[in-house]
């Protein structure tokens, strides 16, 4: 499976090849139609198609004068399965991080509730005490 993944990822590394695959996802088409949106030569398009074909991402046929290209999904399924294994792992790790951060936040809230009064409250308390003392003296 590793060799298949290597060739698939290598083929997907090029933006022109990814664009070709995106076009083929809409349905089969000819090499000529595939090359139209690109400002590159026909031999360059042919090279890209050969890379995609070696990776098993496309197949090319021949119907009289028409040479259709088709998307082959199997290698992309392998990539999706490979990524899915890692996605579950990342999701598990991120969930653990969320739990840890929630615990830290709860601890911080508990500590802030247990802190003594702030200076401004203490000053207000002192002012009130002075007023009470002054009233008692009168």
């Amino acid at each position: 499976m590793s060799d298949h993944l290597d060739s698939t990822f290598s083929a997907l590394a090029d933006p022109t090849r990814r664009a070709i695959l995106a076009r083929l996802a809409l349905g089969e088409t000819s090499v000529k139609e595939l090359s139209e949106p690109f400002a590159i030569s026909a031999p360059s398009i042919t090279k890209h198609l050969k890379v995609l074909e070696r990776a098993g991402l496309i197949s090319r046929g021949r119907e009289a004068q028409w040479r259709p290209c088709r998307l082959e999904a199997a290698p992309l399924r392998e990539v999706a399965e490979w990524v899915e294994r890692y996605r579950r792992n990342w999701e598990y790790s991120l969930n653990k991080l969320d739990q840890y951060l929630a615990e830290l936040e709860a601890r911080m809230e508990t500590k802030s509730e247990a802190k003594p009064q702030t200076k401004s409250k203490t000053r207000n308390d002192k002012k009130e005490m002075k007023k009470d003392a002054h009233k008692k003296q009168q």
Side-chain angles (χ1 to χ4, degrees):
M1 183 163 147
S2 174
D3 291 340
H4 291 286
L5 281 175
D6 290 347
S7 63
T8 302
F9 279 120
S10 179
L12 294 173
D14 185 274
T16 301
R17 291 192 285 266
R18 290 192 305 271
I20 290 170
L21 291 177
R23 170 52 190 92
L24 290 174
L26 301 173
E28 68 180 35
T29 189
S30 70
V31 174
K32 182 180 178 196
E33 289 171 342
L34 279 175
S35 65
E36 286 172 357
F38 302 105
I40 57 177
S41 67
S44 294
I45 287 291
T46 301
K47 286 180 184 179
H48 284 298
L49 293 175
K50 284 180 181 178
V51 170
L52 292 169
E53 195 170 22
R54 277 194 303 270
L57 290 164
I58 67 166
S59 61
R60 295 196 284 178
R62 181 177 215 130
E63 296 174 14
Q65 301 291 37
W66 196 52
R67 300 203 36 121
C69 294
R70 290 177 199 84
L71 178 66
E72 299 294 334
L76 294 174
R77 239 178 278 124
E78 286 181 39
V79 168
E81 290 167 2
W82 183 83
V83 169
E84 178 62 21
R85 283 195 305 268
Y86 289 95
R87 187 198 60 78
R88 285 188 299 242
N89 202 7
W90 297 324
E91 194 172 274
Y92 174 78
S93 296
L94 289 173
N95 286 339
K96 294 293 277 180
L97 179 60
D98 282 343
Q99 289 173 357
Y100 177 71
L101 292 174
E103 289 172 15
L104 281 178
E105 189 175 332
R107 285 186 209 156
M108 295 300 286
E109 287 175 6
T110 304
K111 283 184 180 180
S112 68
E113 290 171 2
K115 278 187 178 180
Q117 294 181 344
T118 62
K119 287 184 179 181
S120 63
K121 287 185 180 178
T122 306
R123 286 184 190 148
N124 288 337
D125 289 344
K126 286 181 183 177
K127 286 180 185 177
E128 290 295 320
M129 289 172 57
K130 283 182 182 179
K131 284 181 186 177
D132 288 343
H134 185 65
K135 286 180 185 178
K136 285 182 185 178
Q137 287 178 351
Q138 292 178 342

